[in-house]
Structures are given as C-alpha cells and as structure tokens.
Amino acid sequence: MKIKILLIIVFVFSSTILPQVGFSAGTLLGASSFSSNSPSVGGFATGFFIETDTPLFEEVFPRLGITFMKDINAVLPNNRKAYYPSMLGLNFKGITSQYFDSKIFLEEGIGLLALNDKTFIDKNSWEFGLALSFLAGYDMRNFNLRGLKTGAAVEYGLTFTGSLPSYLNFYLQFHYTF
C-alpha cells in the first residue's frame, strides 16, 4: 500500500522531480464488447487518463489510464437483473502521434494492462496483458499547444493470464493540454 501511495505522489509531483514540457488529461465515452470464459457482452465504456511528456521520451508520451466497462442493461430502464457483468482496466501506454496537417492527426498507443474481470457474479480476478489503441483526431489547440484535442478511437485489450479476458472499445476521446 505504501508503494502505491509513493508512486502516485511521484507521478503527481513529477514536475518538480522531472522537468516537463506539458501535462494533459482526458476522458473517453463509447461502446464496448468484452468477454472472459463467456460469450461477448455488449456494453458501454468510460474512462479517464493523464499524460505527460518527459525528457526521457522524445516522441513517445507516457499515459496512465483507467477504463470501466459494464453491460448496457445496467443503464436501461425497467431491467431488474440482479447482476451486470463488468471489467475495470488500468493501463500504462506509450502514445505517439503523426500529423497530416496542422489539425488532423493519427495517434497510436501500446502498453501494459491490468484488467479486473467481473464477468460472472462469483468472479473477481486481476489478469495482465497488453492494450493497443488507435485514434483519428482533430487538434483544436493554438500555437501555444494548450487546449483541446478530440477524436474517434478503438482500443483492444488482451490478457495472457487466468481466463484470458479481453475487450474491444469504440469511443470518443476528449484530451485537454494544460
């Protein structure tokens, strides 16, 4: 527990430890399909991430994110099902971008994934693997590189342990640089 708290403090206060050019945060919302040792479950996905660029990486930005996926029936009215399958993903990805002009860009990311699998009522296990994402976006920032970027993305998460849970998310992403 102490190590987790120390890592969070170091990441939050990394501007004093490592010089940074920028810090950004974002959110995502979309559709999801996830499965474990089960048929695929259709649902929704929502998430949050923080990103910074450090002098350790020239073209690759480290991004720490959390994604929550749940069965779509959980938000539909008049549904009295007792349990709704869900998954919670924590990922640490390296993100790179290619600009086609000053506003249109393509973003790719790959990294480590820890996935909390709750597809069945009696299941609550952490599995580990990789997350891969692609985004086509529009950059609304000014020349000072502060402001909003948005886009449509797809993310695939695959684990290599336990019951091999995986997910495929299609979402809209909003990314603000401070």
Side-chain angles (χ1 to χ4, degrees), residues 10 12-13 19 22 24-25 30 36 60-62 65 70-73 78 85 93 98 103 140 145 147 172-173 175:
V10 167
V12 170
F13 294 107
S24 58
S36 185
V60 179
F61 305 116
K70 193 162 190 164
D71 187 356
I72 192 68
N73 290 319
N78 294 329
K93 294 191 285 191
Q98 291 82 36
K103 298 291 183 184
M140 295 179 267
L145 298 180
L172 293 176
Q173 175 177 299
H175 183 175

Side-chain angles (χ1 to χ4, degrees), residues 92-105:
F92 182 71
K93 294 191 285 191
I95 303 293
T96 186
S97 299
Q98 291 82 36
Y99 278 80
F100 298 112
D101 65 12
S102 64
K103 298 291 183 184
I104 306 296
F105 68 97

Side-chain angles (χ1 to χ4, degrees), residues 1-171:
M1 183 67 175
K2 292 178 184 180
I3 292 173
K4 291 179 187 177
I5 293 171
L6 179 64
L7 288 175
I8 291 171
I9 290 171
V10 167
F11 191 77
V12 170
F13 294 107
S14 64
S15 62
T16 57
I17 297 168
L18 297 169
Q20 298 173 349
V21 176
F23 173 78
S24 58
T27 187
L28 57 100
L29 180 62
S32 178
S33 174
F34 57 93
S35 67
S36 185
N37 285 340
S38 65
S40 293
V41 177
F44 65 92
T46 185
F48 177 80
F49 63 88
I50 53 176
E51 179 180 303
T52 184
D53 50 344
T54 65
L56 301 174
F57 302 101
E58 190 76 27
E59 300 276 333
V60 179
F61 305 116
R63 179 181 288 177
L64 182 63
I66 184 169
T67 305
F68 178 71
M69 297 148 282
K70 193 162 190 164
D71 187 356
I72 192 68
N73 290 319
V75 295
L76 295 178
N78 294 329
N79 194 344
R80 297 187 183 159
K81 191 174 173 183
Y83 182 77
Y84 301 103
S86 66
M87 285 190 180
L88 176 69
L90 304 172
N91 60 55
F92 182 71
K93 294 191 285 191
I95 303 293
T96 186
S97 299
Q98 291 82 36
Y99 278 80
F100 298 112
D101 65 12
S102 64
K103 298 291 183 184
I104 306 296
F105 68 97
L106 181 65
E107 177 182 282
E108 305 89 24
I110 188 167
L112 301 174
L113 171 69
L115 192 61
N116 186 0
D117 182 11
K118 294 183 178 180
T119 52
F120 297 106
I121 196 165
D122 61 343
K123 185 172 191 174
N124 185 4
S125 64
W126 283 94
E127 313 298 341
F128 304 97
L130 294 174
L132 176 67
S133 63
F134 295 98
L135 176 132
Y138 184 74
D139 192 344
M140 295 179 267
R141 298 180 299 175
N142 298 327
F143 293 108
N144 65 1
L145 298 180
R146 308 239 185 268
L148 184 67
K149 296 191 306 185
T150 188
V154 60
E155 181 178 44
Y156 181 66
L158 176 65
T159 62
F160 305 116
T161 60
S163 58
L164 304 174
S166 63
Y167 65 87
L168 180 64
N169 293 339
F170 297 94
Y171 55 84

